[in-house]
Amino acid sequence: MRDQSDAVAGSRAQGALLERFRLTRDLSRDLVNGLNEADMTVQSMPDASPAKWHLAHTTWFFETFLLRDQVPGYRLFDERWPFLFNSYYEAEGARMARPERGLLTRPTVAEMLAYRDHVDEAMTAALPRLMERHGDLVEMGIQHEQQHQELLLTDIKHLFSRNPLGPAAYPAGDGAAGADVPLRWITGTEGLAEIGSDGEGFAFDNELPRHPSWLAPHALANRPVTNGEWIEFIADQGYATPSLWLSDGWDWVRREGVCTPLYWRGQGGAWEHFTLSGWQPLDPHAPVTHISFYEADAFATWAGARLPTEQEWESAAQFRDPLSGVQLDRADGVTPHAENKDGAFASLFGNVWEWTGSAYRPWPGYRPAAGAVGEYNGKFMSGQFVLKGGSCATPRGHVRASYRNFFHPHQRWQFTGLRLARSL
Amino acid sequence: MRDQSDAVAGSRAQGALLERFRLTRDLSRDLVNGLNEADMTVQSMPDASPAKWHLAHTTWFFETFLLRDQVPGYRLFDERWPFLFNSYYEAEGARMARPERGLLTRPTVAEMLAYRDHVDEAMTAALPRLMERHGDLVEMGIQHEQQHQELLLTDIKHLFSRNPLGPAAYPAGDGAAGADVPLRWITGTEGLAEIGSDGEGFAFDNELPRHPSWLAPHALANRPVTNGEWIEFIADQGYATPSLWLSDGWDWVRREGVCTPLYWRGQGGAWEHFTLSGWQPLDPHAPVTHISFYEADAFATWAGARLPTEQEWESAAQFRDPLSGVQLDRADGVTPHAENKDGAFASLFGNVWEWTGSAYRPWPGYRPAAGAVGEYNGKFMSGQFVLKGGSCATPRGHVRASYRNFFHPHQRWQFTGLRLARSL
Amino acid sequence: MRDQSDAVAGSRAQGALLERFRLTRDLSRDLVNGLNEADMTVQSMPDASPAKWHLAHTTWFFETFLLRDQVPGYRLFDERWPFLFNSYYEAEGARMARPERGLLTRPTVAEMLAYRDHVDEAMTAALPRLMERHGDLVEMGIQHEQQHQELLLTDIKHLFSRNPLGPAAYPAGDGAAGADVPLRWITGTEGLAEIGSDGEGFAFDNELPRHPSWLAPHALANRPVTNGEWIEFIADQGYATPSLWLSDGWDWVRREGVCTPLYWRGQGGAWEHFTLSGWQPLDPHAPVTHISFYEADAFATWAGARLPTEQEWESAAQFRDPLSGVQLDRADGVTPHAENKDGAFASLFGNVWEWTGSAYRPWPGYRPAAGAVGEYNGKFMSGQFVLKGGSCATPRGHVRASYRNFFHPHQRWQFTGLRLARSL
Amino acid sequence: MRDQSDAVAGSRAQGALLERFRLTRDLSRDLVNGLNEADMTVQSMPDASPAKWHLAHTTWFFETFLLRDQVPGYRLFDERWPFLFNSYYEAEGARMARPERGLLTRPTVAEMLAYRDHVDEAMTAALPRLMERHGDLVEMGIQHEQQHQELLLTDIKHLFSRNPLGPAAYPAGDGAAGADVPLRWITGTEGLAEIGSDGEGFAFDNELPRHPSWLAPHALANRPVTNGEWIEFIADQGYATPSLWLSDGWDWVRREGVCTPLYWRGQGGAWEHFTLSGWQPLDPHAPVTHISFYEADAFATWAGARLPTEQEWESAAQFRDPLSGVQLDRADGVTPHAENKDGAFASLFGNVWEWTGSAYRPWPGYRPAAGAVGEYNGKFMSGQFVLKGGSCATPRGHVRASYRNFFHPHQRWQFTGLRLARSL
């Protein structure tokens, strides 16, 4: 009976994975509806990549690490293309320099889509077999594509923002204004906390191993900082007060002439911001977004607070309902962190990526994944800061408490925001 | 009777100009056949502009300086577009920075073509009236568009050359190899020569006034330097011998790692070059092209020669048949330059732009044209060198002996070559 | 009786501080013996400062934060000089840009020394009074000057290294070769450790507050990595193997063409390095120095190890004899870390600054010092990594286990090295 | 008798040359009186060189091209020094990069002076013999050192100008204000003019060959543009009016934020300028100086005039008394240019170097000098403009009508000014 039920379970898991593979692949295509061939080709800055490149690179990932490496007899769609669509894998050999991705007016979008069809077909055929030993890599390919879906959106947003005509990539929503949620402080765990992936579900290598960490007494804000609060910071000369800023941040502010979050403009006293639906009035109750780490840190200093550490944030997010922010009972019936019952968090997940005060470095005992995919995370562990929680552009099902996003402290074209913290 | 015949002549001239206007406008459209929306949008370097931008900018020129300024009641196609398509006219106000032209994925090509239709229609209607007082400006608009037709081709060539797949913009010709023309020296005029436009036909302000210039004894080569000769220069360590180079040129060679003309590559002993039809074998008898002024000067030094001055070149090209290179009798029956009957020039016009040794500076008594079009030429008279003759990409009917093309000494994405000269 | 003995103790403490003040001020002068006016004025890179500037800036620190702010009636030596010698204190107003410090051929060295005399005299007179309420600031001024003494040496070394003649700043020592100490691993504390200054003696604000931190199982090498081991790394293509390097590090290696530590050169098979006594043969048993964080990290990866965290290093260094490296009994008679009795550390202090794997960020509960000196440490807490232990150029008495030195990951003109660590 | 008188004449010529050699060498030393070791070592920008370097480089020139190459048995003062003091002679091998000259705190000034003594002694001993075949090279060495004397002054001026204390290198003169000379126009030669050195006295290779040139009708101003006129240009928004500027010039103005000549500052309504005697009030009647070619050209456009061509300037300066500016009779009794008797030029020589509108290119038939000194002039014939006349810092006896000075159009740390011209 056991073998049979195993087979059934295996078959169900296969079906589920295949379904997720298809949905993810389809979503990428859906995201470029409404974009023309040029929109999908131009690269507006070295940090960004063309939409077309995202479509091809995610496909290259499956073709390379699964079809080419694990499926005997697979033939590459085009032998010249790996040079075009390898992102940064040194072990995979030479590749186009990153700032040159926007030169690829050929292959065309139609050719890219044919590439996707080719790889999807081969993957679908090979998936049952691949699941036996390489289910982790398939899952990684899906997670990888989800990351690029978010990048595709932020990169298109950046491109359109540089266009003086301010075009819209997608229709605007209903524009219902957010609610005014008063700021409250929620006391966090003090002492030992378990940090890192708990082994339930997929995790990147940088979320491992799970390990104890000692947290000092602290509290976190119940919600992210809002646009309205940021307007106060501006009005109080926040961008012109050097004592609020890290030294590198102050250099950056002066060198770049920064005086608002990215994508803001003042129009006759009223603030507007550029969105994927073009220029829109700013909602004072919505979380501020498109700020750099330097700005986040300066705001926190101005507010008499600080950024949370990664561990404080993660500890708070564990066992929380992502939607309500309310503390959950653990599966084993233990209610952890009883001292934390003083409130619900708003918007922990899926609104803005929240800058933490933690530099992106390995967890104790960290080991990069084997093979070329070992370059996925580990080699970026210098010069960047960790962000937690996920944004409005993050695909559903992609976020988790242990997830470690990371960017350089000056970067702000992602949907980045902040939540205040305090030492107690 | 006089008025009537005048009217007839005027009508004929109008008809001819309208015809040229139409043909020129049509040719621009024809050039982008075979290019997709992305090909026409991407900007591969700050010196180059997107094909789409060329289509719109040439249209903006007619709309601004003729329709807007001279046609009462004309309404701009779109009030936001002048900001996008003004190139460098300070008098016309703010505009996009040149390196950002490639960000304009919108307006689309279709919108650009609608813009062209709109302006062409208005121009066609207004031409009879415009001819009365602004025929010179209409002609200038045509010449301007012709210049951009050549730029469009060189810019597309550059873009495609940066693509590792090496795509072709146009089908290859028959590939018939050129003839091996032996080098001969043709003695030039000595003493006074008249330089500058003789007033027949259109001339830019920088071709004026016609003026005497004293030429020292000299001779010019009968043909441009060939690819085969350039290969000898390379084989003789021309790119590695500092004594051949101007100081700025040697700095450029080392800084950029230059060791061949632009678009050359050695493939197993045989040289190929990138063309508008993709990678092709190099014809040793064809004129070398895509070289900088620095390279042209170093080659001439290596060859024991020098570059011709602009005046020497122009003097030689006057009264020559552009195709045969043979000296023509002047209209007044005088055969000038009897001492020059020692031969025919090959390829004076329409093969490669020939670098001269003359810095681009004003003729004695030069006056910029009135109004914003006064910025057309005069303000660029520093830091550039003059090229003469026109290239394979120059529209027929656009070249003349007095024409002054100019580029910076390091630039080589145009079809640039050289002809040797000698002091006697 | 009590008052009297207090007074005696106070007087002794005053005497001791005055003595330390004098010794420190004298040492700075001694360091420039043998340097001429030009040696002391030239700035060889933006990271470095002229020796003369160090002499003046340390004097400005005492003049500004003690004499000007705390001594009524004090008159500035020269009102124009604070603009010249303020380093980075925004609260102190405008100042010369850092890369321009080398333009100050005036004031002369003699004028700087007169400045020092003036301030020393005023400080000596004011010290008894200052000790009552500002002893901490006096101590900080001394510690600050000690830091600049080390910088003065590394800056002169850099300057002289750029001179093709390779001059010596100081006579060479006896050149006795180091001993070959076998590598052993010493198990570190697991679990809770107290990190940060214990309040005995002076500490900068960044060493506070003392706080618990949880250490994962690990071991540290008994000694730093040696030159001989680094030669093996080079021979094994360490600088040419991208998989060993952080992404930023690999970019740095290629951009800068790095292939050895700073100041090394191969002379006919034998390695030499530039020292304050000119070019000298490399001692294979001496600790490697003048390496960047990127190099340290790559070496550790190559060696199958990693860099220690700051907390691991500090925990190991607490209660150790700085010279012997042997574990000491604590003052309270408790022998901590009994599990660590497996060996003695060599060279924990005073040989090379050891890169840790920890980004320089604040301790939990960190508060910057009040006033302008609050800019001393806190505003640099991004983009840098922590180094521990002190170097051969660090003044005696300046190092301690809780001391946090910090530099950017590419910098290597300090005496920087590394000690390997391992997760267990 | 002939041989004897030849010998006498030869001996006199030798004596005269030796005297000029000594005076020139002595003057260089005199120029650094009052400068300290640091003043003479620091390099304030890549365009400038340290005073100490000028002293050594001019010495290296004699040592290399005369003593080493032409005096059998001469031993170099120090074999490592040619690497330090070769400026740009590729044929002389590797050398320090120009921007690193300021790193040479060693050799010391005393060592440089010993070098000078060594070379002067050897030159003095060898001069009689050298005169027989290499008198031209000796003369070139003297002229070369004179050029560096001027550079030494402009480089020290730049260095001191960057010092916030504004030190004086030399005592101020009496400060008598200049006279207000009304502007008049002096008609120039029309038609053929002989340009280039007439073979009397020394000339650099770039002044040759003398050749005919055809001048268009024109007039030159009797005097250079004054500070007072420049203040009017500023007041009339000259620096903020793009239509006055060459395109490259306008880019330069905006990029560098230029709004006055170099070394000017407004102090409460009154203008001051930095001089070799520190900050001084501006004399409105003195020629404006420290302006770029771009500024000179913009001013001329604003004034409804233009810059003179090099040939116009040279033609006007021939046969003029350098002090009075009055036309001289020619040696052959012919009074040339009778049409020019309408006035005297002021300040043709020795006040400011006057920008011409001529790019620096070779005269027809130009041949570089043989050997390494062939790199002296010819290789710089791109990207620069010609200046004529000499400045207050040019050594007496160094200027002549055919002299061609040249700098890049943005450079202005030399004593550069302008004289207006007009086409007639």
Side-chain angles (χ1 to χ4, degrees), chain D residues 219-239:
Chain D
L220 300 187
N222 60 320
R223 59 155 175 79
V225 169
T226 64
N227 287 324
E229 289 164 337
W230 203 271
I231 289 168
E232 291 177 47
F233 173 71
I234 294 173
D236 197 31
Q237 302 301 315
Y239 284 101

Side-chain angles (χ1 to χ4, degrees), chain D residues 158-202:
Chain D
H158 186 265
L159 170 63
F160 279 23
S161 79
R162 301 293 309 279
N163 189 319
L165 304 181
Y170 306 101
D174 60 2
D180 183 2
V181 179
L183 178 70
R184 278 179 306 97
W185 294 96
I186 302 177
T187 306
T189 299
E190 182 180 344
L192 269 189
E194 289 293 313
I195 298 297
S197 170
D198 59 7
E200 298 283 317
F202 176 82

Side-chain angles (χ1 to χ4, degrees), chain C residues 34-45 52 78 80-81 83-84 96 100 102-108 159-160 162-165 167-169, chain D residues 34-45 52 78 80-81 83-84 96 100 102-108 159-160 162-165 167-169:
Chain C
L35 302 183
N36 69 34
E37 184 96 25
D39 297 332
M40 293 174 66
T41 303
V42 168
Q43 180 176 30
S44 58
M45 63 169 173
K52 204 168 73 175
D78 189 312
R80 301 168 304 169
W81 288 25
F83 180 81
L84 309 181
M96 289 195 75
E100 300 185 1
L103 296 171
L104 296 175
T105 62
R106 318 286 178 94
T108 61
L159 170 63
F160 279 23
R162 300 294 308 279
N163 189 318
L165 304 180
Chain D
L35 302 183
N36 70 34
E37 184 96 24
D39 297 333
M40 294 175 65
T41 302
V42 168
Q43 180 176 29
S44 59
M45 64 170 169
K52 202 168 75 172
D78 189 312
R80 302 167 302 170
W81 288 24
F83 180 82
L84 308 181
M96 287 195 76
E100 300 185 1
L103 296 172
L104 296 175
T105 61
R106 317 286 178 94
T108 62
L159 170 63
F160 279 23
R162 301 293 309 279
N163 189 319
L165 304 181

